[in-house]
Amino acid sequence: MKWAIIGTWRMAIEGVTESAVDLNNGAFAGDAIEKAIKIVEDFPYYKSVGYGGLPNENCQVELDAAYMDGDSLSIGAIGGITDFKNPISIVKKLSENTYNCFLVGPGAEVYAAREGFQRENMLTDRAKKYYKKRKNETLDKGLSPYEGHDTVGVICVDKNGKMVAGTSTSGLFMKNKGRVGDSPISGSGFYVDSEVGGAAATGLGEDIMKGCVSYEIVRLMKEGLTPQEAADKAVYELDSKLIRRRGKAGDISVVALNNKGEYGVATNSEGFSFSVAVEDEEPTVYTCNKMKDGKTIYEIASKEWLKAYADRIKAPLTFD
Ligand code: ASP
């Protein structure tokens, strides 16, 4: 069978590229997902996932993550864990449990310590600087504290047709202590069924949860829609519904993959990107245009775009 792996944002490309090699050599989808997401978690310049993630209102990095096996439908999830290095490995292990497979805060930390997962202070000096700057800005200028968030969500199908989904995030910058978004919530931040396909979301968790958008995409694929049609329909309908009922919709972006290795994406916002590799397609970063007439358009990220991205994430922070 054809293998494929797709992840939200440009930040997934290094992990997608490494896992593509493993998948080509017959790796298990769960190991490919774990490796791809760990690479994002470990990179200090990705400021919304793992080490270097932006903190909550108390300047504490609280992480959410999930793992789902598309064969058994087993799920492992954590919300608001602090001071552990690789949330994706913890949730992969948790998915082996029959009970107690979604743990939050101190309970998740007790579990991770008992299972021997590595502790780490996840707050970097760079993230602390962003925190101080944003605190000053919001006090002085009344800016929304919630900008500056992203989730790495990855869906994979391996050579045996097995599918797995994984997510990892530090959630909204400046979130309230204890706030959990969509990323560890089955059906909202992720869903996968090897008999059909999978999807993962990124954006404003509070709005993504209002439409269980990942489950909806898988349901639509089961009805016969392609991943692209399903992603567009689910995001477009949720966006329209939120605007109709609440006057506005937060950012909602998704990636979708079916068990044949076909993929699709959708977004209602500017600036979404994704990373993908398929057996017959080199690892590639794409940038997306906001949906027009219910359809999302994407194109290969230009060299200029990729360079500007690389420069921006490592740019020295001139403020204190
Ligand atoms: N969906 C995440 C959350 O709400 C953040 C993001 O993906 O931008 O926690």
Side-chain angles (χ1 to χ4, degrees), residues 58-220:
N58 301 333
C59 202
Q60 234 185 344
V61 183
E62 289 183 312
L63 302 168
D64 302 336
Y67 174 96
M68 181 167 186
D69 179 308
D71 281 4
S72 63
L73 307 180
S74 297
I75 292 172
I78 52 178
I81 196 169
T82 54
D83 297 334
F84 276 89
K85 186 168 157 55
N86 288 116
I88 191 63
S89 301
I90 301 171
V91 291
K92 183 166 181 256
K93 180 79 186 154
L94 262 176
S95 74
E96 293 167 14
N97 287 1
T98 306
Y99 304 108
N100 305 302
C101 48
F102 189 169
L103 300 175
V104 298
E109 286 146 26
V110 167
Y111 169 84
R114 193 174 61 224
E115 293 295 328
F117 287 100
Q118 194 180 334
R119 282 184 186 276
E120 178 102 26
N121 176 6
M122 302 298 271
L123 184 67
T124 59
D125 287 345
R126 194 172 171 90
K128 242 190 265 177
K129 276 191 173 186
Y130 275 113
Y131 172 84
K132 280 193 195 145
K133 176 175 186 269
R134 184 51 61 96
K135 206 162 180 191
N136 291 338
E137 279 173 355
T138 45
L139 288 177
D140 299 352
K141 301 179 201 137
L143 289 173
S144 161
Y146 295 116
E147 283 147 24
H149 52 86
D150 290 335
T151 299
V152 64
V154 183
I155 311 290
C156 177
V157 56
D158 67 23
K159 275 189 171 172
N160 295 317
K162 178 167 185 132
M163 296 196 73
V164 171
T167 61
S168 184
T169 187
S170 54
L172 296 190
F173 183 21
M174 290 286 187
K175 64 189 177 183
N176 288 172
K177 184 172 173 58
R179 179 266 185 194
V180 175
D182 59 302
S183 307
I185 310 285
S186 163
S188 288
F190 66 93
Y191 196 79
V192 66
D193 177 343
S194 302
E195 290 179 359
V196 184
T202 177
L204 184 66
E206 283 74 0
D207 277 359
I208 291 168
M209 285 191 265
K210 293 182 176 86
C212 300
V213 76
S214 295
Y215 183 81
E216 178 64 3
I217 291 169
V218 177
R219 192 189 68 75
L220 290 167

Side-chain angles (χ1 to χ4, degrees), residues 21-78:
V21 175
D22 296 351
L23 286 163
N24 207 32
N25 291 329
F28 154 56
D31 293 338
I33 290 262
E34 182 182 15
K35 185 176 198 177
I37 292 183
K38 261 175 124 168
I39 289 172
V40 185
E41 289 175 342
D42 289 344
F43 189 62
Y45 290 99
Y46 294 146
K47 62 181 172 29
S48 57
V49 175
Y51 185 64
L54 290 173
N56 67 11
E57 61 182 354
N58 301 333
C59 202
Q60 234 185 344
V61 183
E62 289 183 312
L63 302 168
D64 302 336
Y67 174 96
M68 181 167 186
D69 179 308
D71 281 4
S72 63
L73 307 180
S74 297
I75 292 172
I78 52 178

